[in-house]
Amino acid sequence: MTNLSRACACMLLVLSAVPATAFAQEASDDGITISGNATVVSDYRFRGFSQSNEEAAIQGGFSIGHDSGLYVGTWGSSIGFANGTEIDVFAGYAKEVAPGLTADIGATLYLYPGTSNTSVIEPYFAVSGDLGPASIKTGIAWAPGGQDSLGDASGVYLYTDAGVAVPNTPFTLKGHVGYAKSDSFLGGADGDVVDYSVGVEASWKALTGSIAYVNTDAPKALGFKEAVGADGAVIFTLGVSF
């Protein structure tokens, strides 16, 4: 991956929410839930852009939640820039606000150990629930300007995720569409980038595997889309929850 692609990848992290990872839950008598996850992916993509030079990455994390709705956790991945490691720390509050409808508000701090002036903090808000046979989640993530790593630049990311379980099977059909708007150039006109994915996930006991097609509308001119790892690709994942 070129220096240009690394710069774009860093900026995409500004517009990313906490990675979508399935966590197992272990409840205790005091209302505290501890969950964890470890995953191998064929290519670590944020908003359709590769963060691992289009190579495999190892990921994992854990979270602690309370019956009140408060939660805190951390998540990490190998990456193809900075010093090769990304660590995310997140905290928030999630609560059912109406029957079948949950609201989630919080913030994520993105860290790159061994590098300076690269951390980014990003508040987020999302709502999730069921619509017929589909589970829907839609949200917004905002990276305010004035941070050392961003200068005056800021960004916003809007997204919707959907999943439909196939009856009497371990399979779930999944789809995602997102829209990033930034003051800085991200590879689209005026800093606009749309990403999308479609795929299928299968679960068995603590194991989860998935396959998905991921792409963006980043421009193809002069090979830019391929240079920044934003071209279409089929991504495989295999994870375990504990």
Side-chain angles (χ1 to χ4, degrees):
M1 184 177 281
T2 65
N3 289 335
L4 176 61
S5 65
R6 287 173 181 158
C8 289
C10 287
M11 194 59 207
L12 258 291
L13 287 172
V14 172
L15 302 173
S16 58
V18 177
T21 8
F23 287 100
Q25 308 223 337
E26 183 179 323
S28 62
D29 294 337
D30 54 9
I32 294 176
T33 299
I34 299 175
S35 53
N37 169 279
T39 305
V40 177
V41 297
S42 61
D43 183 3
Y44 169 26
R45 297 228 173 182
F46 255 148
R47 313 313 181 207
F49 284 64
S50 178
Q51 308 296 288
S52 57
N53 292 342
E54 299 184 309
E55 297 179 355
I58 299 174
Q59 306 172 338
F62 70 92
S63 67
I64 301 173
H66 189 264
D67 286 348
S68 64
L70 294 172
Y71 63 87
V72 63
T74 185
W75 182 90
S77 179
S78 56
I79 56 177
F81 56 94
N83 275 354
T85 303
E86 172 195 341
I87 301 293
D88 304 341
V89 180
F90 56 91
Y93 177 78
K95 200 68 174 177
E96 188 175 57
V97 294
L101 185 67
T102 298
D104 184 2
I105 186 169
T108 304
L109 175 64
Y110 300 94
L111 301 168
Y112 305 91
T115 61
S116 59
N117 298 325
T118 57
S119 63
V120 176
I121 189 166
E122 179 188 69
Y124 58 82
F125 175 76
V127 292
S128 59
D130 294 333
L131 183 62
S135 297
I136 307 291
K137 180 178 181 179
T138 187
I140 181 172
W142 172 59
Q147 303 183 58
D148 288 343
S149 56
L150 304 181
D152 294 331
S154 64
V156 64
Y157 184 77
L158 304 171
Y159 68 94
T160 296
D161 297 327
V164 178
V166 180
N168 303 315
T169 76
F171 299 105
T172 300
L173 304 178
K174 293 202 165 187
H176 162 87
V177 62
Y179 167 73
K181 176 70 175 179
S182 173
D183 299 333
S184 294
F185 178 66
L186 287 177
D190 299 323
D192 294 36
V193 176
V194 173
D195 71 280
Y196 55 92
S197 65
V198 291
V200 60
E201 180 181 274
S203 298
W204 180 74
K205 295 186 178 181
L207 295 175
T208 300
S210 68
I211 179 172
Y213 176 76
V214 181
N215 207 342
T216 75
D217 70 344
K220 299 180 180 179
L222 302 177
F224 178 85
K225 189 172 184 177
E226 291 77 10
V228 298
D231 50 329
V234 176
I235 309 297
F236 300 89
T237 69
L238 179 62
V240 59
S241 300
F242 49 88

